[in-house]
C-alpha cells in the first residue's frame, strides 16, 4: 500500500514529524523488509531510545507513561536519551508490536487523525478506558488489537 507524505500530529495539532511516501504494510514507524527480517532485526539491531520518539509522540505519552512502558524510573529516561541507549530485545519487540497495532488502526480507520481520536476516547467495550492507556501494558495491547480486529470485521465497539 503506497501513501503520500504524512504529518504526525499531537492531540493539540502540533506537528511532531512527517513520513515520506513509502510502503508500510505491517508497521507504521519502523518497517522491516519482511516478517523474517523483523525477527532477526530485533535480535541483531534493537531499537535505540531515540527511535521511540515518533511512536510515543503519536500516542501522546508523557515521560511517566514512557517510563511505565519501558519499566524504568522516569529519571532514567534522561540518561537513556542522552546516551541513545539500545533497548533490550524484549522492549524492542514490544514497541514493534505497538507499531504494528498503530499501522493496523490507521488502515482500519482510514487516517491517522481518525485513529488517534479513537485511541484517545474512552471506550465502553474496554471498561471505559482509552485504548491509548491500555497500550501501556502488554495485555492491554492485546485488548486493543482484538478490538481493532473486531472493528475490521464490522463489529461496533
Amino acid at each position: 500500500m503506497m501513501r503520500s507524505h504524512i504529518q504526525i500530529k499531537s492531540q493539540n495539532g502540533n506537528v511532531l514529524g512527517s513520513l515520506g511516501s513509502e510502503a508500510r504494510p505491517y508497521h507504521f514507524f519502523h518497517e522491516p523488509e519482511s516478517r523474517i527480517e523483523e525477527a532477526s532485526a530485533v535480535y541483531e539491531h534493537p531499537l535505540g531510545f531515540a527511535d521511540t520518539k515518533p511512536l510515543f509522540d503519536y500516542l501522546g505519552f508523557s515521560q511517566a507513561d514512557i517510563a511505565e512502558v519501558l519499566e524504568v524510573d522516569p529519571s532514567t529516561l534522561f540518561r537513556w536519551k542522552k546516551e541513545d541507549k539500545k533497548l533490550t530485545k524484549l522492549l524492542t519487540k514490544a514497541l514493534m508490536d505497538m507499531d504494528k497495532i498503530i499501522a493496523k488502526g490507521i488502515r482500519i480507520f482510514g487516517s491517522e487523525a481518525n485513529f488517534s481520536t479513537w485511541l484517545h476516547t474512552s471506550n465502553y467495550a474496554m471498561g471505559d478506558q482509552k485504548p491509548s492507556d491500555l497500550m501501556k501494558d502488554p495485555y492491554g495491547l492485546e485488548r486493543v488489537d482484538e478490538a481493532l480486529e473486531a472493528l475490521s470485521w464490522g463489529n461496533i465497539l
Side-chain angles (χ1 to χ4, degrees):
M1 170 173 70
M2 296 298 286
R3 61 189 167 107
S4 60
H5 181 81
I6 294 174
Q7 288 187 329
I8 302 167
K9 296 183 179 181
S10 67
Q11 284 180 286
N12 62 7
N14 294 335
V15 175
L16 302 171
S18 62
L19 300 169
S21 178
E22 51 192 82
R24 291 190 183 274
Y26 302 114
H27 294 271
F28 191 69
F29 296 104
H30 305 285
E31 179 61 31
E33 293 295 317
S34 69
R35 298 273 190 175
I36 293 170
E37 183 182 311
E38 176 182 354
S40 66
V42 168
Y43 180 73
E44 295 172 16
H45 307 287
L47 292 175
F49 184 71
D51 297 328
T52 66
K53 185 175 177 10
L55 177 75
F56 290 137
D57 286 348
Y58 179 78
L59 292 170
F61 282 6
S62 67
Q63 291 294 321
D65 296 332
I66 295 168
E68 181 182 342
V69 169
L70 300 179
E71 297 181 335
V72 297
D73 187 81
S75 63
T76 303
L77 295 179
F78 178 76
R79 184 171 32 88
W80 283 16
K81 181 179 181 179
K82 184 178 167 186
E83 299 169 1
D84 193 21
K85 177 174 172 42
K86 293 295 181 193
L87 302 179
T88 65
K89 296 170 196 169
L90 190 58
L91 284 175
T92 297
K93 182 183 180 328
L95 295 176
M96 296 294 274
D97 289 346
M98 290 173 103
D99 193 16
K100 280 194 262 189
I101 289 173
I102 290 170
K104 179 189 258 185
I106 291 170
R107 282 193 309 273
I108 291 168
F109 281 88
S111 76
E112 294 166 43
N114 290 342
F115 180 57
S116 182
T117 298
W118 181 82
L119 274 175
H120 296 94
T121 303
S122 294
N123 190 309
Y124 177 76
M126 295 181 178
D128 287 327
Q129 293 181 292
K130 295 176 185 176
S132 61
D133 289 339
L134 291 172
M135 289 182 73
K136 296 173 194 169
D137 175 89
Y139 298 105
L141 194 60
E142 283 182 29
R143 288 179 60 197
V144 172
D145 190 35
E146 289 168 0
L148 288 172
E149 193 63 28
L151 284 168
S152 75
W153 288 96
N155 259 344
I156 307 273
L157 295 178

